[in-house]
Amino acid sequence: MNYWLMKSEPNVYSIGDLKHDRTSIWDGVRNYQARNFMREMSRGDLVFFYHSNTKIPGIVGLVRVVETGVADPTQFDRNSEYYDAKSQFDAPRWQTVRVEFVEEFAKLISLDELKKNFSADEILLVRKGNRLSVMPVSESAAQKILKMR
């Protein structure tokens, strides 16, 4: 099993939304490195759900990958801001994963707390200039995060 971190703006899709929905695809990722990280995911991998672009950004919960290799439907939707005219149904450029809700943390683990407890070598999230919405988390960093909740 591997660990990951995925960011979402809470006004777009929050941990509460996923808790209500139970499962969801992680659509709209249009960064090749983030997409490639999702291609590396396996069923059963655990993902830290991170609220970004909010007053206090941070990790708010835990989700599990339940399906991989899902073609992101927004790439084919002409009305979507994530539409990609170069993507073909028989060769989609953008794949995603389906995740299921596992747990909402009792307290947010803020970006400031993460910066105090991890170096940029331990977790990409705290690396200066990092803007990826999907990234791997080492097992040692994941275990440390889980103890912080």
Side-chain angles (χ1 to χ4, degrees):
M1 174 178 54
N2 295 307
Y3 295 90
W4 306 89
L5 183 140
M6 296 167 80
K7 296 179 185 176
S8 181
E9 296 177 15
N11 64 324
V12 175
Y13 196 77
S14 71
I15 189 75
D17 294 327
L18 183 58
K19 185 176 184 178
H20 175 267
D21 296 343
R22 301 301 303 160
T23 69
S24 180
I25 62 167
W26 202 266
D27 60 3
V29 172
R30 293 298 181 269
N31 174 284
Y32 285 105
Q33 189 173 7
R35 181 214 52 197
N36 291 344
F37 284 143
M38 285 195 294
R39 285 180 171 175
E40 293 177 27
M41 292 179 179
S42 299
R43 280 180 54 109
D45 284 357
L46 291 176
V47 180
F48 294 102
F49 195 117
Y50 182 93
H51 280 173
S52 62
N53 199 22
T54 185
K55 187 174 181 179
I56 303 174
I59 298 172
V60 294
L62 195 62
V63 304
R64 180 180 298 110
V65 176
V66 294
E67 185 180 0
T68 61
V70 177
D72 184 337
T74 62
Q75 68 192 308
F76 305 118
D77 181 355
R78 292 181 187 275
N79 296 319
S80 172
E81 67 180 293
Y82 302 112
Y83 174 69
D84 184 343
K86 294 181 181 178
S87 195
Q88 304 297 317
F89 281 105
D90 58 345
R93 294 170 73 174
W94 304 103
Q95 291 81 30
T96 187
V97 296
R98 178 174 298 281
V99 296
E100 71 178 354
F101 176 83
V102 173
E103 173 186 359
E104 185 171 2
F105 293 169
K107 69 174 190 78
L108 171 132
I109 303 170
S110 72
L111 178 58
D112 287 342
E113 285 180 82
L114 294 167
K115 286 179 178 180
K116 288 176 190 169
N117 287 282
F118 295 95
S119 71
D121 292 330
E122 291 177 293
I123 186 168
L124 290 173
L125 180 70
V126 302
R127 184 170 290 158
K128 196 169 188 89
N130 177 49
R131 303 214 13 105
L132 286 175
S133 62
V134 178
M135 63 197 74
V137 175
S138 70
E139 182 160 357
S140 61
Q143 294 306 320
K144 197 171 172 182
I145 292 168
L146 288 169
K147 289 177 183 169
M148 296 170 72
R149 64 183 169 175

